């Protein structure tokens, strides 16, 4: 399956989509309240079948006639997700779903066979970068720019809106995109950090652009201006959109950095090793810094690119000692603290830098754990003040590099 997202052109017809999303938000809140009452009495949420039959009865009443406006399968999909959330309260120990404003409801889903897409002949004065298409949703046509051609059968269409009121459609196609790239025969271990986003086992450091921190002052001023405005006024809504626009820019900057770095890694290496980190515990210690780096989001993007480009992304055990162990002789330094950025091994007297040493241990543990062969001998040079550790990049033969 392949998902592609396209932005709908701003037009007066978009108000119909906004109205339909608002109605779906009202329906969700209604059945959430009913399920909560049922849960307090019987200890479990309403099933999808009961909610669906109750919805059918309500839609026949005059008071709820406007609930027939949205696409019916989109309403049923919301009820399915609501029922699943109550089941996960028992199985996964999660809290109950939260009520939210109907204007904050973000999306609805359409089946592929109930959506029609057609090419729209250009009538505008200036040519656009991408061909203009139109999509028929719930009986109305909406325009969008097709920046990536449709290669397979459309199975599902997801309509979403953001805090700025922009509308997007995500097309789910029955198509697997594969880009065959030449093998490099290289494997690399990476250590995640706060100061440096990632450090490779070859000593290469990849910086950590703190996009949220860089825009913190601008965001604070926008939030102050928003809080000064009178509630319900048009000026307050304008300032709210300014705040949302800054958040959207930060998210786009972070996503762009992650995609470019993931593609670069997949072009350089055949196998990539990482640690299985406890990100929730790291957030409790370092807070916004971990969230700003968004290591979990980066790993999701990297795995997507690895499947697309036939590369392997593997994780070693969470409790493997990688920081305190010497990558040359294996001696474990129990006295190492978080403030020690470099140290000298008391056994082999090798001067080690903390992050490259951990990355090298991740590589060695990954190769040993997944049975990919033996890492070639590592050449480490004692560094003097102001010089970094140099290490040869470990190579695997072409057969081992293709193991998934």
């Amino acid at each position: 399956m392949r998902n592609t997202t396209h932005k709908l052109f701003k037009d007066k017809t978009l108000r119909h989509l906004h109205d339909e999303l608002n109605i779906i938000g009202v329906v969700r809140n209604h059945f959430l309240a009913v399920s909560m009452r049922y849960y307090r009495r019987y200890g479990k949420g309403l099933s999808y079948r009961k909610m669906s039959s109750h919805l059918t009865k309500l839609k026949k009443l005059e008071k709820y006639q406007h609930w027939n406006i949205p696409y019916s399968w989109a309403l049923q999909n919301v009820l399915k997700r609501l029922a699943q959330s109550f089941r996960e309260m028992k199985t996964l120990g999660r809290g109950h779903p939260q009520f939210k404003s109907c204007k904050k409801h973000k999306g609805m889903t359409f089946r592929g066979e109930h959506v029609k897409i057609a090419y729209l002949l250009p009538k505008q004065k200036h040519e656009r970068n991408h061909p203009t298409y139109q999509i028929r949703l719930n009986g109305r046509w909406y325009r969008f720019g097709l920046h990536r051609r449709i290669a397979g059968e459309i199975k599902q269409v997801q309509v979403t809106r953001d805090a700025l009121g922009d509308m997007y459609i995500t097309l789910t196609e029955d198509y697997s995109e594969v880009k065959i790239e030449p093998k490099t025969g290289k494997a690399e271990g990476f250590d995640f950090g706060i100061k440096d986003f990632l450090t490779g086992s070859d000593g290469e450091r990849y910086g950590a652009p703190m996009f949220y921190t860089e825009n913190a002052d601008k965001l604070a001023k926008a939030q102050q201006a928003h809080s000064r405005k009178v509630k319900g006024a048009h000026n307050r809504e304008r300032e709210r959109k300014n705040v949302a626009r800054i958040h959207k820019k930060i998210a786009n900057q972070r996503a762009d950095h992650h995609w470019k770095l993931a593609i670069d890694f997949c072009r350089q290496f055949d196998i990539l090793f990482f640690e299985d980190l406890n990100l929730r515990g790291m957030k409790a210690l370092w807070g916004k810094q971990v969230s700003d780096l968004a290591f979990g989001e980066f790993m999701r993007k990297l795995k997507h690119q690895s499947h697309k480009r036939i590369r392997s992304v593997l994780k070693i055990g969470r409790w493997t000692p990688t920081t305190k162990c010497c990558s040359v002789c294996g001696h474990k330094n129990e006295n190492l603290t978080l403030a020690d950025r470099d140290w000298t091994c008391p056994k082999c007297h090798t001067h080690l830098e903390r992050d490259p040493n951990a990355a090298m241990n991740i590589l060695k543990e990954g190769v040993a754990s997944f049975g990919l062969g033996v890492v070639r001998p590592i050449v480490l040079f004692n560094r003097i003040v102001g010089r970094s550790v140099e290490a040869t990049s470990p190579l695997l033969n072409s057969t081992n590099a293709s193991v998934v």
Side-chain angles (χ1 to χ4, degrees):
M1 293 292 181
R2 185 182 75 166
N3 295 329
T4 56
T5 302
H6 311 269
K7 183 179 179 181
L8 296 179
F9 292 165
K10 288 188 176 181
D11 201 348
K12 292 182 179 180
T13 54
L14 287 184
R15 71 181 186 273
H16 299 292
L17 283 180
H18 284 286
D19 293 339
E20 292 165 7
L21 286 172
N22 292 342
I23 293 174
I24 293 177
V26 171
V27 173
R28 179 189 176 275
N29 286 339
H30 176 86
F31 280 92
L32 176 56
V34 174
S35 297
M36 286 300 299
R37 289 197 296 268
Y38 191 86
Y39 183 84
R40 284 192 292 267
R41 174 171 292 187
Y42 301 104
K44 61 179 181 179
L46 277 171
S47 65
Y48 163 70
R49 181 177 297 179
K50 290 182 179 180
M51 287 192 289
S52 178
S53 61
H54 185 54
L55 175 64
T56 303
K57 295 177 183 178
L58 290 179
K59 289 168 69 173
K60 294 179 181 178
L61 301 178
E62 185 178 356
K63 180 180 178 181
Y64 301 102
Q65 280 296 312
H66 60 285
W67 285 10
N68 292 288
I69 296 175
Y71 180 47
S72 60
W73 195 74
L75 290 174
Q76 300 293 335
N77 193 31
V78 170
L79 299 184
K80 285 182 181 179
R81 295 182 181 182
L82 199 59
Q84 181 182 359
S85 298
F86 277 93
R87 288 196 301 269
E88 291 176 351
M89 289 174 63
K90 292 267 187 180
T91 57
L92 301 180
R94 295 178 177 174
H96 65 81
Q98 300 295 320
F99 291 95
K100 58 184 179 182
S101 171
C102 64
K103 293 184 179 180
K104 293 184 179 180
H105 188 80
K106 293 184 177 179
M108 59 180 171
T109 309
F110 294 84
R111 285 182 178 177
E113 59 266 23
H114 296 128
V115 170
K116 185 183 292 185
I117 296 179
Y119 177 68
L120 185 64
L121 294 176
K123 296 180 180 179
Q124 54 270 15
K125 185 182 297 184
H126 303 288
E127 293 186 2
R128 298 181 180 271
N129 294 330
H130 306 289
T132 302
Y133 276 69
Q134 56 182 353
I135 182 170
R136 187 177 178 85
L137 301 172
N138 212 7
R140 293 183 178 87
W141 290 97
Y142 303 93
R143 298 180 302 150
F144 68 98
L146 189 71
H147 58 80
R148 186 173 296 183
R149 67 180 184 86
I150 300 173
E153 182 183 357
I154 297 177
K155 295 295 185 180
Q156 184 174 288
V157 176
Q158 180 77 19
V159 179
T160 56
R161 64 177 172 184
D162 58 12
L164 290 172
D166 294 333
M167 288 286 184
Y168 298 87
I169 55 171
T170 301
L171 307 179
T172 302
E173 306 170 40
D174 186 13
Y175 171 73
S176 297
E177 186 177 8
V178 178
K179 289 187 177 181
I180 305 297
E181 297 204 4
K183 296 290 184 181
T184 62
K186 294 182 181 180
E188 187 81 352
F190 294 93
D191 179 60
F192 172 70
I194 301 297
K195 185 177 180 181
D196 294 308
F197 181 53
L198 290 171
T199 302
S201 54
D202 57 356
E204 184 72 22
R205 295 179 182 272
Y206 302 90
M210 300 287 189
F211 296 110
Y212 183 86
T213 305
E214 291 175 359
N215 294 275
D217 294 338
K218 184 186 297 184
L219 182 61
K221 291 181 180 178
Q223 289 172 336
Q224 289 171 2
H226 172 254
S227 64
R228 293 192 191 102
K229 305 304 179 184
V230 179
K231 290 186 178 180
H234 291 291
N235 288 337
R236 187 179 178 88
E237 177 65 14
R238 185 193 66 226
E239 295 299 336
R240 184 197 65 81
K241 289 187 176 181
N242 287 337
V243 175
R245 196 171 288 111
I246 296 174
H247 280 295
K248 185 176 181 179
K249 178 183 177 182
I250 294 172
N252 290 341
Q253 286 177 321
R254 188 184 295 118
D256 181 68
H257 172 256
H258 285 172
W259 282 119
K260 289 179 179 178
L261 189 60
I263 294 173
D264 188 39
F265 282 170
C266 290
R267 288 174 177 172
Q268 291 186 47
F269 309 106
D270 288 345
I271 307 177
L272 303 99
F273 296 103
F274 295 87
E275 284 183 293
D276 185 15
L277 299 174
N278 181 12
L279 295 178
R280 182 173 295 181
M282 295 178 69
K283 288 179 183 179
L285 290 174
W286 293 289
K288 289 183 180 180
Q289 289 181 308
V290 179
S291 300
D292 198 2
L293 293 172
F295 182 70
E297 290 293 329
F298 169 73
M299 288 302 297
R300 277 188 280 272
K301 294 178 176 63
L302 181 61
K303 288 179 181 178
H304 172 78
Q305 288 295 330
S306 66
H307 289 304
K308 183 177 177 179
R309 301 172 188 273
I310 315 181
R311 297 292 192 257
S312 297
V313 178
L314 305 173
K315 287 185 178 181
I316 67 172
R318 179 174 295 184
W319 307 109
T320 304
T322 58
T323 302
K324 295 184 178 182
C325 289
C326 174
S327 58
V328 178
C329 65
H331 173 75
K332 189 175 182 180
N333 185 4
E334 296 290 352
N335 299 323
L336 192 67
T337 63
L338 190 61
D340 299 328
R341 307 313 301 174
D342 52 78
W343 54 287
T344 302
C345 179
K347 187 175 181 179
C348 64
H349 307 289
T350 304
H351 195 76
L352 302 168
E353 203 167 350
R354 183 188 184 95
D355 294 339
N357 176 67
M360 183 60 69
N361 286 329
I362 292 171
L363 173 64
K364 293 173 68 176
E365 177 65 22
V367 171
S369 299
F370 294 96
L372 300 179
V374 180
V375 180
R376 290 185 179 181
I378 305 165
V379 182
L380 293 173
F381 299 93
N382 293 331
R383 74 174 183 89
I384 59 176
V385 178
R387 297 183 63 183
S388 59
V389 179
E390 298 180 6
T392 58
S393 177
L395 299 178
L396 300 179
N397 56 47
S398 58
T399 56
N400 288 334
S402 61
V403 177
V404 178

